[in-house]
Amino acid sequence: SIDVRLTGSGNGVSINPFTFKVVQAPTPKSAEAHILDFSIPEQTQPAEIDYEKMTITVNVPFGTDVTALTPEIEISAGASVSPASGEAQDFSQPVKYTVTAEDGKSRSEYTVTVSVAKSSEARLLSFRVTTEPVVEGIIDEENHTVLLKVPYSDQWPWYYTYQEYEISEGATAGEIQFVDSWDSSFKDPATITITAEDGVTQVTYTIMAEMLPNPNAEITRMLFLDPETSAPTPGVYSALLDAEAKTITIYVRPDLDRSSLTPTINCSANAELTPASGTAQNFSSPVKYTVTSEDGQTTVEYTATAVELTDVQVETVDVEAGSFILGDHPKSPKENKHKVTLTKDFAIGKYEMTQDVFSKVMGFNESTVMGDDLPVTGVTWYDAAEFCNRLSEIKGLEPAYRV
């Protein structure tokens, strides 16, 4: 304010002293209520403020925890904002901010949305074949390959498999592309493409299977065959395997020369056999065979021993040569009756042949129900005829069949 004093007189007029003040009017308070800038340390670019829609959008990287973000807010001079700048907020949902102007009357409400970027990760996290046996894939992320190490099986490759896999969050997987649509064994490389959540990034993985080496080391069969005709070696009746005891009993004719017999030996697939199959051996004394598994982890030794088969316990009934009427039975059709003449005596088994005897004479047993004292089943007529011929030889009789 300014004080002014006036006094004086003139022309017969006098002025009484007085004082007046000049006072500056107060500045009006601002009515602006705006958010000028909104920033979060995690943001990837400046916030987008839309003053028409009263919205603010802040972009943050994928994986940002938006439940406790602390924004810094610049507002109009003299204004205030609620919630306050520097106060942590949960932005998993849009948050409303109210700006009150300096005049205390004007207000603006902004809706702030924090947008999390979509993931660019396109990874195959796990892969497995669920068809028995279940196989977990070994993922090489650098080369984008999946290796299925399949346990050894004589049934592999399977021609159809079921698969399970896990991929990056938000990503999608295309169909597995096989070389042949009907063969999903992965013996031939197959591919699968993973597309990230952002819809841009893609990674293709190559999936293939390989069977692990065979861990088995077993002799499964021994035969003695003529190398030229593949007919059974005369005088060698059978070679019976005891898998538990790791022994092979070779039943031979007593007068057989055992100094050079050549066995054909079947063993576990890809196993190494010493001495090799097809190598002549002197079976006058026991012969040792060593089987080493394909994976090299297992070695098993078998002992093969030649044993004279001088007799087998078969109770027979002697039938003398002569004639009879076949079909001469009250229930037989009359037209089937005819005379049969046997020119030689023969012996016939009194009971059904047991599996124990058949195995010793023939070297195999494919009966449906197993048991040494049970009847042998599942043999062909030729097997039966060969068995009878060998049994005749063992008992010193003349073989009756031509096979």
Side-chain angles (χ1 to χ4, degrees), residues 40 42-48 57-61 113-117:
I40 295 174
E42 292 83 357
Q43 68 190 44
T44 57
Q45 61 191 57
E48 299 175 8
T57 303
V58 182
N59 296 313
V60 296
T113 301
V114 174
S115 178
V116 181

Side-chain angles (χ1 to χ4, degrees), residues 9-84:
S9 63
N11 299 322
V13 178
S14 63
I15 301 174
N16 294 324
F18 69 93
T19 301
F20 68 91
K21 292 183 178 180
V22 178
V23 180
Q24 183 177 1
T27 303
K29 292 185 177 181
S30 173
E32 289 195 7
H34 297 300
I35 290 179
L36 305 178
D37 186 52
F38 192 101
S39 64
I40 295 174
E42 292 83 357
Q43 68 190 44
T44 57
Q45 61 191 57
E48 299 175 8
I49 303 177
D50 188 328
Y51 289 108
E52 289 186 4
K53 297 181 180 179
M54 303 301 287
T55 60
I56 300 174
T57 303
V58 182
N59 296 313
V60 296
F62 172 79
T64 301
D65 181 5
V66 298
T67 60
L69 297 179
T70 304
E72 293 294 328
I73 308 170
E74 182 182 346
I75 57 178
S76 302
S80 62
V81 64
S82 178

